[in-house]
Amino acid sequence: MKNKKVLFSTLVGAVIIAVVLKYGPVKAIVYGQGWPRILIGVVLFLVVLGFVLQEVQKSRNFHKAFAAYVAAYDLTPEKLGRLTSFNKSEFVYDGKVLRFENGTTENRERLLADLQHHFGPIDKQQ
């Protein structure tokens, strides 16, 4: 399902880029002065900022959920290594906070799915 979404969004983006390059006044916009160039720069900046903020929000949500599981069930790296599909060395203490070192999006989702399978859903407000 995820791969279909990625493929679809890539194709849509490619079509948009192709249409802009074929029919848009690219040379006048890129090399010109004035509001079209500024507008495109602002739009591109806002798009990149949106993607960055989305990833930051996903990271915050993961850290809240992971911290809630650790606090509720007194999880240690050894327990997490036994309960999940990850090695205990992928969990380290940063001061008093337990961190997941292999923090790609897919691994974070898999870790939370493993924890939810063993312990059930947890209230992230804890």
Side-chain angles (χ1 to χ4, degrees):
M1 186 66 166
K2 244 185 204 183
N3 291 336
K4 289 181 184 179
K5 286 182 181 179
V6 170
L7 181 61
F8 180 73
S9 65
T10 303
L11 289 175
V12 169
V15 168
I16 292 171
I17 290 172
V19 168
V20 168
L21 290 177
K22 177 70 175 166
Y23 299 109
V26 176
K27 187 174 182 181
I29 292 172
V30 172
Y31 295 109
Q33 301 294 324
W35 66 269
R37 186 174 180 184
I38 293 170
L39 181 64
I40 289 173
V42 169
V43 168
L44 288 175
F45 175 77
L46 291 175
V47 167
V48 170
L49 182 64
F51 284 124
V52 168
L53 291 176
Q54 183 181 15
E55 289 303 314
V56 167
Q57 187 62 36
K58 285 181 185 178
S59 177
R60 284 183 181 168
N61 290 341
F62 166 77
H63 288 298
K64 283 182 183 178
F66 183 64
Y69 275 110
V70 169
Y73 299 104
D74 194 33
L75 298 175
T76 63
E78 291 78 18
K79 288 179 185 177
L80 287 165
R82 285 193 312 266
L83 294 174
T84 66
S85 57
F86 297 99
N87 191 327
K88 71 177 183 177
S89 64
E90 294 178 286
F91 303 97
V92 295
Y93 283 102
D94 182 17
K96 293 184 178 183
V97 178
L98 186 62
R99 297 268 182 219
F100 179 52
E101 288 293 308
N102 193 359
T104 63
T105 304
E106 295 81 15
N107 287 341
R108 288 175 177 177
E109 290 173 358
R110 203 170 84 210
L111 174 62
L112 289 179
D114 286 349
L115 291 174
Q116 189 172 17
H117 172 74
H118 287 289
F119 301 112
I122 194 158
D123 182 19
K124 295 179 189 176
Q125 308 297 328
Q126 293 180 350

